[in-house]
Amino acid sequence: MDLEVDIVVIGGGMAGLVAGIRATEEGMKTVLLRKGQSATAYSSGAIDVIGYLPGGTMPLGSPVEGLQGIASMYPLHPYGLLGFTDAEPDTVSKTIVEKVRMAVSWLKATLLGSNIPLFGDIDSNLDAVTVLGTVKPTCMIQETMWPGSLMLDADGVALFAGVRGLPVFNPRMAAQVFLEHQISNRLLPRKAGHHVLDLAPFGNNYNISSIEIARYLDNEDNLSVLAKKLKKQVERIGATHIALPPVLGFNRARENQLALQDLTGAHVFELLSFPPSVPGLRLQRGLETAFVNGGGTLLVGHHAKMESLKSNIVKKVTAVGPRRNFKISTKAVVLATGKFIGGGITGTENGIRESVFDLMTVSESFRNATSTTPQKLTNTIALSHKGHPLFGSGLSVDPQFRPITGEEVHAAENLYAAGSVLAGYNYPAEKSGLGVAIVTGYMASRNAVDYVKGVSA
Amino acid sequence: MAKYDVVVIGGGSTGTAVARDCAMRGLKILLLERDDIASATTGACAGMISSGLKYMDEPNIVDMCSDEVVNFKRIARHVMEKNPIITPLLEMSDISSGGNFAEEYSKRAETRDVPPVLFLTPEDSLKIEPTLNPDLIASIYFEEYFISPFALCMLQALDAKQHGADIKTYCEVTDILTKKGSITGVQYFNRITDKMESAKTRAIVNAAGPWAHKIAALAGAKLELRLNKGAHVILDRRVVNVGVIAKAIEGRMIYLFPHENTVLLGTTALDTWEDPDTLVASQDEIEYLLKSMEWVVPSIRDARIIRTMEGVRPLIPTWKIPEGDVTRGYEVIDHEPEGVSGLISFAGGKLVMCRHMAEAATDLVCKNFGIEAECRTHIEPLPGNSDDVDILALAKEYGVSQHTVERMRARRGTEIVMILELTRDHPEWKTTICTCEPVIEAELRYAIRATFPQTLNDLRRRIRLGTGPCQGTFCTFKAATILAEELELSGADFQLEIVDFLAERWKGKRQSIRGEQIAQEELAQGIYACVGNLDQALERLDYDLKPWEEVL
């Protein structure tokens, strides 16, 4: 089977889906290939834009503040590239902030009517609480994950409620870490309690996963069981807020949150958690639904194959599936294959490689990394605010987000890249992962659409 | 001040064996270990209790090794496995030493319950191990026993404890006290209480491995060692059915040995003067091992490397000969003739000899004390080896998977009933915490209560937490909450526990990081830095840089 489209998007995480949805909104015939599960689906579901400057140790009060810092100090950061337009030098920072605002607001509007409405904007970072009880700055979270007035309420009492047999969340330790943090930083609230609920979804009381509980709670009848148990604990300690692991459901999370609040009289919210992540999967599903509803073609379980780039224009991409291959003729390509988790970038003892087109890779500091041993791009310290340069390696792109080759010219006229396949930002340290994916996906798509409209005219 | 007959310094295979032997002979024992049980040389070995194949020129040693294998089968069969080993021959020159070895090995095979050496055709070799290079002309087949080095040390320590010994981990000896040339006591820094402590003793057995010369120096005694480092590359699963031995690029022999759920590729042998605490496997060592094994197992580079480890051998100081020609025997050195009475040190030795070394040292201690007491360490079983374990019945009775029960049995033998009993009151403790190994919560709780771990790293040595392909990505934070609950840690110490464990795992992962392990690490960074925000917590938590992190 052969397909003929305007735009092929390779990669189905945040960057690819944003690019795909935007392209369909512009009337482009779009096909998106997703090989496997994306890093977006593994994410906590919180949307970081920028939480710390590169190598920084002060949490940023707002993404705007961070973007202004990047504009002046890190011009090659993917956010910095947004300023490389025809704008005057003194408006670079403003251009970057406006482009990020546009993309982020667009995403929020896109998911407004879905079952995962978002909360927050780039004018302030939120303090999101994790299942460890730690706090991290993030830009937007799903409404079900918003702690409400918890950190403003002098009389607030947080109840950390876990589920027996769910090992990902220990409410006692989370409450302790959270309270120690708030008190040592003179923050609110000053009281927290913890409890382990006997929920036994589907009859199990051990080896339970968040996904199992989310499915259980997608059934309306099961919610009252949880509500009753929570209410008893709320009354016991006088809780004003209930922190749950992210298990409120795939389809009914928001309704469940509101219903639990009604039934318990406390504000209910989900904590940020680790894979497998229900909010990450909700985000993935929400975006895929938007893409397909907008007329896009989604090919799951297919990866793209391209022997090498010979001409200056990519005309065909082969989609390789488990039982079928097909050739897709296209006018433009958005490469959003991710980094090492997604498989867009790989590393062997011989160097760092890009997997579909074998494009030139660079290190975080933009040195050619095609034959750099991955170990050389790491620090001796496992976990530090400096991160490992390895996770800032990837593709170098021009201001149009087209990958460039060694001679600093773009690899192809109609090939654009977005998301974590890009070099120059260290998302685990900066807390900027999904934000860069959204903005670069948005811009790469816009440039691809402009290109297609130009050649079609 | 506490008074002891003997202070044993070092909690490796030899030190724990000495503590056990002395305690069983009725002596009052204190064992001091600067880190944790089996945390250095012993913890970095492949666990082979060799029948002596490398030392065919030293028949006494071969006899001793063979006898010790039989002894271990008697006292510790629950933490042992027997592995077939194939040495493929690609050309006639590979066979040079084959004849003599086969004869020596086969002579003692029956006592160890293994077949004599077999020569296999290429067809039979490939049937047993399909990953071998099909161009082989023949292969040599034999069988060797392996023991879990961590379990062995732990069980020896626990058994010593049961016989009245005091075992103190995280206690580093800072001074040895003498009076008129005789040992009177030790001073040590206790890192758990953060205090200097001391104990009186009549004798010290120095089993400090690569630090033994430094311990001897504290008493004014002289000890020379030839320190020699060795690296292992660890593969994520059993990529081979059997052990494979091959000739390395410069003619030494290297191996690929199944080990627990993994396979070990080792080892290098390089004379070293570095601080053992800072050593990691080098790029050169990793590539040397891969290049050498690639000739006989061509697909070796397709395997997923999860990490490397590096250990230091305290060899007997024979110089101006290659490492391989240094005797693998051991020496028990009484420092009395040089004017330090009561101090006994070890040099050399192998894992397989640890019990024998302990017996020799304890005999000497008893002789010096004028005590007559029989050694029983080769007769009395170690804890958990009192009976067979019915995996299928236990799995059914407690509703835990057979695989989980079997892995548990391989660590604790009959004692697993006590672990499984915990799930009667706490069915949620049947939850799998480390999915790679696997380890259930009940085993974690039991290990914390019964085997004195202080950190997650100690738990790793006891129950193999975080040793699989994910290297702690998914279990570290879960296990840390359990440790924190059991030890009543503060929130800050709980976070520090996570960061410390990740630091130790990274030490081994970093040197060989490539392929799928990079994606694995991205996931780990995603969990602990991106979401958990612990990368920003080091300063707030008073994180101490580890020795290998301070090196430029």
Side-chain angles (χ1 to χ4, degrees):
Chain A
M1 191 173 76
D2 289 346
L3 276 177
E4 218 178 296
V5 298
D6 296 317
I7 294 179
V8 174
V9 179
I10 309 172
M14 177 62 91
L17 283 163
V18 166
I21 297 169
R22 281 295 301 130
T24 56
E25 284 179 354
E26 293 292 329
M28 296 285 119
K29 192 173 176 198
T30 309
V31 62
L32 187 148
L33 313 181
R34 169 154 78 78
K35 183 176 76 171
Q37 196 60 280
S38 71
T40 300
Y42 289 139
S43 77
S44 69
I47 293 167
D48 297 344
V49 170
I50 182 98
Y52 296 86
L53 283 175
T57 54
M58 287 298 289
L60 294 162
S62 76
V64 168
E65 196 185 308
L67 293 168
Q68 287 164 346
I70 284 171
S72 57
M73 290 183 287
Y74 304 95
L76 296 179
H77 189 288
Y79 287 140
L81 292 178
L82 301 171
F84 270 83
T85 50
D86 45 6
E88 298 295 317
D90 54 342
T91 60
V92 164
S93 163
K94 207 176 148 208
T95 305
I96 292 172
V97 170
E98 285 322 306
K99 282 183 178 170
V100 172
R101 187 185 299 282
M102 179 172 62
V104 168
S105 311
W106 168 85
L107 182 81
K108 199 171 165 181
T110 301
L111 292 175
L112 189 61
S114 75
N115 55 11
I116 45 160
L118 300 176
F119 180 91
D121 55 51
I122 66 165
D123 293 312
S124 65
N125 268 326
L126 305 165
D127 286 330
V129 189
T130 75
V131 285
L132 299 179
T134 53
V135 172
K136 78 164 246 187
T138 190
C139 175
M140 287 200 295
I141 43 186
Q142 297 170 21
E143 285 271 9
T144 51
M145 304 166 78
W146 182 53
S149 61
L150 177 63
M151 295 179 213
L152 305 169
D153 190 347
D155 301 319
V157 180
L159 169 67
F160 286 78
V163 176
R164 196 170 302 285
L166 172 73
V168 74
F169 178 53
N170 179 309
R172 183 202 294 205
M173 287 322 296
Q176 195 171 334
V177 170
F178 177 69
L179 213 53
E180 275 179 27
H181 177 266
Q182 297 306 94
I183 288 170
S184 69
N185 290 292
R186 298 168 186 278
L187 298 170
L188 299 172
R190 299 215 172 78
K191 284 184 189 162
H194 55 86
H195 182 70
V196 179
L197 302 161
D198 279 299
L199 203 57
F202 310 114
N204 284 338
N205 57 5
Y206 63 94
N207 270 340
I208 303 173
S209 79
S210 314
I211 288 176
E212 232 175 309
I213 305 174
R215 285 200 190 117
Y216 175 78
L217 294 179
D218 269 342
N219 181 338
E220 209 178 335
D221 303 339
N222 293 329
L223 193 73
S224 58
V225 182
L226 174 63
K228 235 178 262 167
K229 289 176 191 283
L230 279 175
K231 190 164 170 47
K232 209 168 135 194
Q233 295 307 316
V234 166
E235 283 163 1
R236 181 177 64 92
I237 66 164
T240 56
H241 294 75
I242 304 171
L244 293 174
V247 295
L248 282 176
F250 286 105
N251 308 321
R252 297 180 42 84
R254 179 69 172 148
E255 285 126 296
N256 282 345
Q257 179 197 27
L258 297 172
L260 281 178
Q261 291 181 168
D262 264 358
L263 294 166
T264 62
H267 178 90
V268 172
F269 70 101
E270 294 174 308
L271 299 162
L272 269 58
S273 187
F274 310 134
S277 160
V278 171
L281 286 163
R282 285 199 299 246
L283 194 57
Q284 178 78 29
R285 290 179 187 187
L287 292 166
E288 285 184 2
T289 306
F291 175 66
V292 172
N293 289 348
T297 305
L298 179 65
L299 290 177
V300 177
H302 288 71
H303 70 268
K305 206 179 132 194
M306 178 86 194
E307 295 310 328
S308 66
L309 260 183
K310 285 195 190 79
S311 71
N312 198 28
I313 297 175
V314 186
K315 289 177 182 155
K316 273 196 171 64
V317 171
T318 307
V320 181
R323 279 182 296 279
R324 57 180 183 184
N325 293 358
F326 43 100
K327 289 200 170 23
I328 307 171
S329 305
T330 186
K331 293 176 184 143
V333 174
V334 177
L335 186 69
T337 41
K339 215 176 271 312
F340 301 101
I341 294 175
I345 304 291
T346 59
T348 70
E349 61 271 41
N350 300 317
I352 310 290
R353 307 304 286 260
E354 187 279 317
S355 1
V356 182
F357 297 99
D358 201 17
L359 299 164
M360 181 188 76
T361 58
V362 296
S363 70
E364 192 176 38
S365 48
F366 293 92
R367 290 202 173 86
N368 188 324
T370 325
S371 32
T372 306
T373 309
Q375 188 264 1
K376 307 276 186 230
L377 300 174
T378 59
N379 296 318
T380 52
I381 301 175
L383 212 56
S384 85
H385 63 274
K386 289 178 186 153
H388 297 290
L390 181 58
F391 301 113
S393 64
L395 301 180
S396 180
V397 289
D398 70 8
Q400 300 277 308
F401 288 95
R402 288 179 299 192
I404 57 168
T405 65
E407 294 78 41
E408 297 200 1
V409 293
H410 50 75
E413 261 178 53
N414 63 343
L415 175 62
Y416 302 84
S420 63
V421 74
L422 300 180
Y425 73 112
N426 204 313
Y427 77 86
E430 294 170 19
K431 321 316 182 216
S432 63
L434 290 181
V436 169
I438 295 163
V439 179
T440 58
Y442 190 95
M443 297 313 298
S445 182
R446 185 162 92 174
N447 296 333
V449 169
D450 286 350
Y451 175 87
V452 172
K453 284 181 177 169
V455 294
S456 306
Chain B
M1 199 190 299
K3 270 176 84 172
Y4 295 94
D5 294 320
V6 183
V7 170
V8 180
I9 302 174
S13 55
T14 316
T16 53
V18 173
R20 175 172 184 248
D21 198 342
C22 287
M24 283 171 79
R25 295 201 219 185
L27 296 170
K28 182 92 182 95
I29 297 299
L30 169 66
L31 183 146
L32 296 172
E33 162 55 49
R34 63 194 277 279
D35 199 287
D36 182 38
I37 299 300
S39 56
T41 302
T42 304
C45 80
M48 185 191 202
I49 42 174
S50 157
S51 62
L53 80 160
K54 269 174 99 175
Y55 340 118
M56 288 305 155
D57 302 337
E58 300 176 272
N60 294 342
I61 292 180
V62 185
D63 282 340
M64 183 223 298
C65 289
S66 191
D67 290 347
E68 283 306 301
V69 170
V70 176
N71 287 333
F72 276 125
K73 285 178 56 175
R74 191 178 307 118
I75 67 167
R77 71 197 153 120
H78 58 315
V79 292
M80 286 169 68
E81 55 182 317
K82 184 165 73 172
N83 279 319
I85 293 172
I86 286 188
T87 305
L89 309 171
L90 292 178
E91 44 199 307
M92 286 314 286
S93 63
D94 289 343
I95 209 164
S96 53
S97 62
N100 180 35
F101 161 69
E103 196 180 309
E104 289 291 327
Y105 177 97
S106 305
K107 222 159 52 185
R108 300 168 178 89
E110 206 181 324
T111 58
R112 296 196 307 277
D113 192 23
V114 293
V117 165
L118 303 171
F119 286 86
L120 301 182
T121 62
E123 293 72 31
D124 286 345
S125 310
L126 287 163
K127 222 180 272 173
I128 294 172
E129 188 44 67
T131 58
L132 294 179
N133 186 339
D135 294 338
L136 81 168
I137 53 173
S139 74
I140 302 171
Y141 174 100
F142 58 100
E143 294 176 4
E144 290 280 7
Y145 289 90
F146 291 73
I147 195 162
S148 159
F150 296 120
L152 172 65
C153 295
M154 200 59 229
L155 296 176
Q156 287 184 155
L158 286 173
D159 202 36
K161 236 177 129 144
Q162 279 165 21
H163 285 88
D166 287 337
I167 309 284
K168 289 193 169 187
T169 55
Y170 296 98
C171 287
E172 182 161 2
V173 172
T174 53
D175 203 5
I176 291 175
L177 311 173
T178 55
K179 201 172 175 186
K180 292 181 190 161
S182 292
I183 298 287
T184 58
V186 286
Q187 256 184 7
Y188 55 94
F189 181 67
N190 185 331
R191 277 153 61 191
I192 300 166
T193 59
D194 234 359
K195 283 194 184 98
M196 289 297 296
E197 295 172 11
S198 52
K200 283 186 183 167
T201 185
R202 292 196 280 160
I204 290 176
V205 176
N206 171 15
W211 293 276
H213 56 302
K214 295 192 173 173
I215 294 294
L218 291 178
K222 261 211 176 104
L223 180 70
E224 198 183 16
L225 297 171
R226 179 168 168 182
L227 298 184
N228 189 273
K229 66 175 179 176
H232 280 105
V233 169
I234 307 177
L235 308 177
D236 70 331
R237 67 193 80 182
R238 294 255 179 142
V239 294
V240 281
N241 296 327
V242 299
V244 177
I245 290 182
K247 215 172 217 181
I249 55 171
E250 86 293 38
R252 283 177 66 247
M253 301 309 277
I254 61 156
Y255 55 74
L256 201 55
F257 283 157
H259 178 81
E260 308 277 0
N261 295 330
T262 67
V263 163
L264 299 179
L265 169 59
T267 173
T268 57
L270 297 160
D271 290 300
T272 182
W273 288 263
E274 294 252 22
D275 175 359
D277 285 333
T278 64
L279 276 178
V280 289
S282 69
Q283 183 84 4
D284 288 343
E285 288 176 285
I286 296 167
E287 292 305 321
Y288 162 89
L289 290 170
L290 288 170
K291 171 78 185 161
S292 300
M293 191 49 73
E294 215 169 9
W295 283 316
V296 295
V297 181
S299 60
I300 192 73
R301 278 183 197 273
D302 300 337
R304 173 171 165 185
I305 299 174
I306 56 177
R307 63 184 290 111
T308 60
M309 61 180 176
E310 183 97 15
V312 176
R313 312 173 179 96
L315 302 181
I316 289 172
T318 328
W319 304 103
K320 301 191 180 180
I321 53 170
E323 162 275 337
D325 294 347
V326 177
T327 174
R328 284 318 200 243
Y330 66 86
E331 282 175 2
V332 176
I333 301 142
D334 191 338
H335 295 278
E336 218 241 306
E338 51 172 312
V340 187
S341 163
L343 178 66
I344 294 169
S345 295
F346 289 108
K350 298 284 289 177
L351 180 68
V352 64
M353 301 169 193
C354 69
R355 195 212 59 82
H356 198 275
M357 293 165 75
E359 183 177 345
T362 310
D363 282 350
L364 187 56
V365 167
C366 288
K367 195 182 125 212
N368 291 349
F369 286 175
I371 299 172
E372 274 192 39
E374 286 269 297
C375 175
R376 300 196 324 276
T377 54
H378 56 299
I379 299 162
E380 308 271 336
L382 284 166
N385 190 28
S386 50
D387 206 349
D388 286 334
V389 179
D390 188 342
I391 302 297
L392 302 188
L394 288 176
K396 202 168 165 197
E397 183 181 350
Y398 291 92
V400 175
S401 81
Q402 291 169 11
H403 180 49
T404 304
V405 177
E406 166 54 23
R407 292 303 298 154
M408 224 189 274
R409 183 212 57 78
R411 291 185 278 270
R412 298 310 295 269
T414 52
E415 287 189 27
I416 65 169
V417 176
M418 290 191 270
I419 298 170
L420 291 167
E421 269 301 302
L422 294 175
T423 65
R424 289 209 194 274
D425 285 342
H426 292 277
E428 74 274 18
W429 290 358
K430 289 194 267 184
T431 299
T432 307
I433 301 300
C434 165
T435 44
C436 297
E437 180 52 26
V439 180
I440 61 170
E441 182 163 348
E443 192 180 4
L444 269 156
R445 300 261 179 195
Y446 181 84
I448 296 167
R449 291 170 189 182
T451 61
F452 55 89
Q454 303 298 323
T455 67
L456 283 184
N457 248 322
D458 298 354
L459 275 173
R460 167 180 63 84
R461 287 181 272 264
R462 283 152 182 77
I463 56 177
R464 296 189 56 76
L465 179 83
T467 56
C470 98
Q471 287 288 296
T473 305
F474 293 107
C475 68
T476 303
F477 68 96
K478 297 173 193 166
T481 62
I482 295 163
L483 186 74
E485 276 193 356
E486 290 285 333
L487 301 184
E488 296 178 6
L489 300 182
S490 69
D493 284 345
F494 155 70
Q495 293 171 72
L496 208 47
E497 211 36 70
I498 295 176
V499 180
D500 279 347
F501 191 57
L502 294 175
E504 194 284 336
R505 294 286 81 192
W506 179 241
K507 176 190 180 189
K509 285 189 279 184
R510 176 174 181 246
Q511 296 307 98
S512 55
I513 194 160
R514 61 190 70 182
E516 292 299 316
Q517 210 62 3
I518 308 181
Q520 185 70 56
E521 188 56 28
E522 190 184 349
L523 207 49
Q525 293 287 330
I527 289 177
Y528 297 100
C530 191
V531 180
N533 211 14
L534 292 175
D535 58 323
Q536 290 288 345
L538 300 195
E539 212 163 303
R540 174 167 53 78
L541 296 175
D542 288 329
Y543 175 79
D544 286 329
L545 282 183
K546 307 289 174 274
W548 63 90
E549 292 175 336
E550 286 170 341
V551 175
L552 289 175

